[in-house]
């Protein structure tokens, strides 16, 4: 799940992230300090839960939430406000239909209780709505591959090899670009002219030389390549998922 914390106090924000690491689900935590950054991240990614400080730099959290509600995919998304002033919450419930609020300083038990409740509800829906792509394995044979099972994709001489948790599939005559179009998921990112990877399975990034890196994956021996051109995006996503990691 993707979470966005919008908080202009860096100490409070890092404290929040540290507490959220107590959740045993696979979470990607995005960070923003103001309305503009938050809207940019929300448009570029698919956010499942918003945690928004009522008071932000150059704007208010309420204004941000109102703008988020105008975006179709966030019309009914989970919004939780962070505040030191509970008197503003009535307005938040009326204008934004937020789910709940958390008073500062953060109460870890309440934060985890609210978050786990939402995640449990959302994951129960995800089981029904798992995304997949259909590939033409060979003439007359089609295969359904669930996106959350893809570890990485490698293309060599027009043969697309899809490495998954349940096996390896070779599909002839398909480019990496076409494979990514069929999958159409923000977790699967191109890392090299011949590779695309599932950011959720990366466990380690090792520099090979000035132009390339090697990607290691959870419970999987085979490795993928990361080029200098794709380095910034992949490392940024990886570090967001692993806040204590340093290249």
């Amino acid at each position: 799940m993707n979470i966005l914390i919008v908080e202009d106090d860096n100490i409070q924000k890092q404290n929040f992230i540290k507490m959220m690491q107590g959740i045993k689900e696979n979470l990607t935590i995005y960070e923003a300090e103001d309305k503009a950054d938050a809207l940019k991240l929300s448009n570029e990614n698919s956010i499942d839960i918003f945690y928004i400080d009522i008071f932000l730099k150059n704007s208010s959290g309420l204004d941000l939430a109102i703008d988020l509600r105008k975006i179709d995919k966030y019309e009914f998304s989970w919004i939780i406000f962070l505040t030191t002033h509970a008197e503003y919450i009535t307005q938040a419930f009326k204008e934004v239909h937020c789910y709940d609020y958390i008073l500062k300083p953060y109460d870890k038990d309440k934060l985890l209780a609210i978050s786990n409740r939402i995640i449990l509800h959302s994951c129960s829906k995800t089981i029904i709505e798992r995304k997949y792509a259909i590939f033409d394995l060979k003439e007359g044979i089609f295969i359904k591959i669930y996106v959350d099972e893809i570890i990485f994709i490698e293309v060599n001489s027009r043969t697309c090899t899809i490495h998954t948790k349940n096996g390896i599939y070779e599909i002839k005559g398909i480019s990496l670009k076409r494979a990514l179009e069929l999958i159409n998921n923000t977790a699967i990112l191109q890392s090299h002219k011949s590779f695309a990877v599932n950011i959720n399975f990366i466990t380690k990034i090792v520099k090979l030389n000035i132009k390339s890196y090697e990607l290691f994956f959870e419970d999987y021996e085979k490795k993928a390549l990361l080029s200098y051109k794709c380095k910034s995006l992949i490392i940024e996503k990886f570090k967001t998922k692993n806040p204590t990691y340093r290249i």
Side-chain angles (χ1 to χ4, degrees):
M1 297 191 70
N2 295 330
I3 288 174
L4 174 60
I5 164 73
V6 189
E7 166 68 79
D8 56 12
D9 185 315
N10 190 56
I11 294 176
Q12 298 248 31
K13 183 165 55 182
Q14 295 309 314
N15 189 33
F16 173 94
I17 292 171
K18 185 177 180 180
M19 290 181 180
M20 289 298 287
Q21 290 171 350
I23 293 177
K24 296 181 180 180
E25 296 294 335
N26 191 12
L27 303 178
T28 299
I29 302 177
Y30 295 92
E31 307 171 36
E33 293 186 352
D34 56 28
K35 177 180 171 181
D37 285 344
L39 288 173
K40 184 175 184 294
L41 282 168
S42 301
N43 283 313
E44 292 175 350
N45 302 278
S46 184
I47 305 299
D48 298 296
I49 312 173
F50 295 90
Y51 295 84
I52 302 174
D53 188 3
I54 287 282
F55 297 102
L56 296 172
K57 289 180 180 178
N58 307 319
S59 65
S60 77
L62 279 173
D63 289 340
L64 166 60
I66 289 169
D67 283 351
L68 286 170
R69 289 295 190 225
K70 294 175 183 177
I71 301 173
D72 288 344
K73 63 180 177 179
Y74 298 129
E75 185 179 1
F76 302 107
S77 294
W78 305 97
I79 294 178
I80 298 166
F81 281 106
L82 312 172
T83 183
T84 53
H85 303 285
E87 62 266 24
Y88 291 97
I89 293 303
T90 301
Q91 183 183 0
F93 278 111
K94 286 182 177 179
E95 295 187 20
V96 182
H97 307 292
C98 68
Y99 174 70
D100 209 332
Y101 69 95
I102 296 174
L103 288 175
K104 298 180 182 182
Y106 303 128
D107 182 308
K108 183 176 181 179
D109 290 338
K110 182 171 183 180
L111 174 61
L112 295 184
I114 290 173
S115 302
N116 277 315
R117 190 159 61 244
I118 294 173
I119 290 167
L120 180 63
H121 172 84
S122 299
C123 286
S124 66
K125 290 177 64 180
T126 303
I127 293 172
I128 301 171
E129 300 170 359
R130 287 179 71 195
K131 295 182 179 180
Y132 60 85
I134 302 292
F135 289 93
D136 187 349
L137 198 58
K138 54 185 175 180
E139 188 175 350
I141 299 177
F142 296 87
I143 186 167
K144 176 194 289 186
I145 298 179
Y146 286 101
V147 173
D148 61 6
E149 294 180 352
I150 295 173
I151 299 171
F152 73 88
I153 304 165
E154 178 181 5
V155 174
N156 185 21
S157 300
R158 298 289 290 180
T159 296
C160 178
T161 303
I162 302 180
H163 299 256
T164 79
K165 291 164 63 178
N166 294 316
I168 298 173
Y169 303 94
E170 289 191 350
I171 298 133
K172 303 288 185 181
I174 184 173
S175 66
L176 183 60
K177 179 181 179 181
R178 180 56 182 157
L180 289 172
E181 287 173 350
L182 290 171
I183 293 168
N184 188 29
N185 191 277
T186 56
I188 312 296
L189 301 172
Q190 186 166 356
S191 64
H192 182 275
K193 65 180 181 180
S194 301
F195 289 87
V197 299
N198 188 334
I199 195 71
N200 295 316
F201 286 114
I202 298 175
T203 58
K204 185 167 64 173
I205 301 174
V206 176
K207 188 174 184 179
L208 293 175
N209 52 56
I210 194 170
K211 292 186 177 181
S212 63
Y213 294 72
E214 203 167 37
L215 301 176
F216 293 72
F217 302 94
E218 180 181 336
D219 300 323
Y220 201 64
E221 292 183 358
K222 296 183 183 296
K223 299 178 282 291
L225 291 177
L226 172 61
S227 69
Y228 184 82
K229 182 179 179 180
C230 300
K231 180 190 75 168
S232 296
L233 177 60
I234 297 294
I235 290 180
E236 178 187 352
K237 297 288 186 183
F238 180 70
K239 289 172 73 175
T240 301
K241 290 181 64 60
N242 303 272
T244 60
Y245 181 84
R246 293 292 181 269
I247 294 292

